[in-house]
């Protein structure tokens, strides 16, 4: 084999590897986690403050509703998270619509009660991607919110833990 052919083959292999690393075979899931303080005025309450080191998770199921993939990420100082998932897990193609993203925990003792605004507590199913550009596929969710224990809503469902015995 001539040196030119070897060089061409090596370059083709290198370009193929770069495309895989650049994002062609991954899905990005991003969003923001904020603290809602019910003691503040409307503008401060609705906009919230970013929470650092909150844990956000994604769980993806296969066609038989078994867990296919689980990943989590901690938020940065701006309250942002970015979870990257391979499109192929153990040789099987991942269906993003079978993935659910939810809040897990907050290290802030003053703001550690999960709310279900934007589905943070119960989980949000991925629908259509927010951004598709060349090899980049990104879902942007939220913002998700935590609140303070003082702002937590009481359970008004009418069920009691002692089965009516006092």
């Amino acid at each position: 084999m001539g040196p030119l052919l070897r060089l061409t083959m090596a370059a083709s292999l290198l370009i193929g590897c770069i495309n895989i690393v650049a994002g062609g075979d991954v899905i990005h899931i991003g969003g923001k986690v904020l603290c809602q303080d019910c003691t503040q005025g409307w503008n401060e309450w609705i906009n919230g403050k970013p929470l650092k080191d909150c844990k956000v998770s994604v769980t993806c199921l296969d066609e038989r509703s078994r867990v296919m993939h689980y990943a989590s990420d901690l938020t940065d100082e701006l309250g942002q998270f970015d979870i990257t998932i391979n499109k192929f897990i153990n040789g099987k193609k991942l269906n993003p619509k079978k993935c659910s993203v939810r809040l897990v925990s907050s290290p802030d003792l003053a703001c550690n009660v999960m709310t279900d605004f934007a589905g943070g507590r119960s989980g949000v199913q991925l629908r259509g991607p927010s951004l598709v550009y060349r090899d980049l596929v990104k879902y942007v969710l939220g913002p998700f919110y935590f609140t303070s224990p003082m702002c937590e809503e009481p359970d008004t469902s009418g069920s009691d833990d002692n089965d009516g015995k006092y």
Side-chain angles (χ1 to χ4, degrees), residues 23-27 59-69 85-99 129 132 135 137 139:
D25 286 336
V26 297
I27 297 168
T59 305
C60 299
L61 305 178
D62 65 9
E63 63 281 347
R64 294 173 55 192
S65 296
R66 298 175 299 185
V67 174
M68 180 179 192
H69 184 72
I85 303 174
N86 289 325
K87 288 182 182 177
F88 292 91
I89 308 291
N90 298 325
K92 293 183 180 179
K93 186 170 170 114
L94 181 100
N95 180 356
K97 292 182 179 180
K98 292 192 171 264
C99 295
V132 177
D135 286 340
V137 177
Y139 295 81

Side-chain angles (χ1 to χ4, degrees), residues 14-134:
L14 182 60
I15 290 171
C17 291
I18 290 171
N19 283 339
I20 290 171
V21 172
D25 286 336
V26 297
I27 297 168
H28 295 270
I29 302 168
K32 202 170 208 177
V33 179
L34 304 172
C35 178
Q36 283 184 329
D37 186 352
C38 66
T39 64
Q40 300 295 316
W42 171 255
N43 287 333
E44 294 82 12
W45 178 78
I46 196 65
N47 293 324
K49 71 170 183 159
L51 286 174
K52 184 180 181 199
D53 292 331
C54 289
K55 190 173 188 179
V56 179
S57 72
V58 60
T59 305
C60 299
L61 305 178
D62 65 9
E63 63 281 347
R64 294 173 55 192
S65 296
R66 298 175 299 185
V67 174
M68 180 179 192
H69 184 72
Y70 175 87
S72 63
D73 188 34
L74 296 177
T75 56
D76 62 14
E77 52 278 334
L78 299 175
Q80 297 176 342
F81 64 90
D82 185 31
I83 302 172
T84 304
I85 303 174
N86 289 325
K87 288 182 182 177
F88 292 91
I89 308 291
N90 298 325
K92 293 183 180 179
K93 186 170 170 114
L94 181 100
N95 180 356
K97 292 182 179 180
K98 292 192 171 264
C99 295
S100 178
V101 181
R102 63 181 292 274
L103 293 170
V104 176
S105 64
S106 168
D108 188 340
L109 295 177
C111 197
N112 62 1
V113 176
M114 288 181 236
T115 72
D116 218 14
F117 289 114
R121 180 174 49 209
S122 60
V124 176
Q125 296 294 121
L126 296 180
R127 300 287 177 225
S130 307
L131 173 67
V132 177
Y133 180 72
R134 295 188 182 182

